[in-house]
Amino acid sequence: MNTALANKEKTLTSFRLNTQLLERLRFLAKKSNRSLNNYVETLLLDVVYHEPNDETIEAIAEARSGKNMEAFDRRDLEKLISSL
């Protein structure tokens, strides 16, 4: 998280949220031992300032296209696990 943003003034605002969404946010905030305000602000900062680099964008596009995909063989995974 950008610490310069965390230290700036706060502005009081209000939003209308779906009741079930708000309940879930409260639950997750409590589970994280954080205030609802802090929890929501952190989520928003992560979303707003998370910008993947060009390499990541290309990898996402390639994965979504299905090109260069190899068939998955469960036996290969089992061999790898047994070798560890």
Side-chain angles (χ1 to χ4, degrees):
M1 178 173 77
N2 189 337
T3 55
L5 285 174
N7 296 328
K8 293 214 177 217
E9 281 186 40
K10 308 277 181 164
T11 301
L12 181 62
T13 189
S14 63
F15 291 93
R16 293 180 193 272
L17 298 175
N18 174 286
T19 302
Q20 290 177 342
L21 173 61
L22 183 58
E23 289 173 7
R24 180 72 175 153
L25 289 168
R26 283 186 175 131
F27 169 79
L28 293 171
K30 186 175 182 176
K31 185 176 174 182
S32 298
N33 197 28
R34 295 161 61 186
S35 71
L36 176 63
N37 185 80
N38 176 265
Y39 187 76
V40 171
E41 184 178 27
T42 302
L43 289 175
L44 291 171
L45 284 169
D46 286 346
V47 168
V48 170
Y49 291 99
H50 175 75
E51 297 178 19
N53 62 27
D54 291 339
E55 182 179 359
T56 302
I57 292 170
E58 289 176 23
I60 292 169
E62 181 181 327
R64 287 181 176 159
S65 74
K67 294 179 183 175
N68 302 322
M69 298 293 285
E70 297 178 16
F72 175 75
D73 187 344
R74 192 187 80 210
R75 291 172 290 192
D76 291 337
L77 177 60
E78 291 170 350
K79 287 178 190 175
L80 174 65
I81 292 172
S82 67
S83 72
L84 297 178

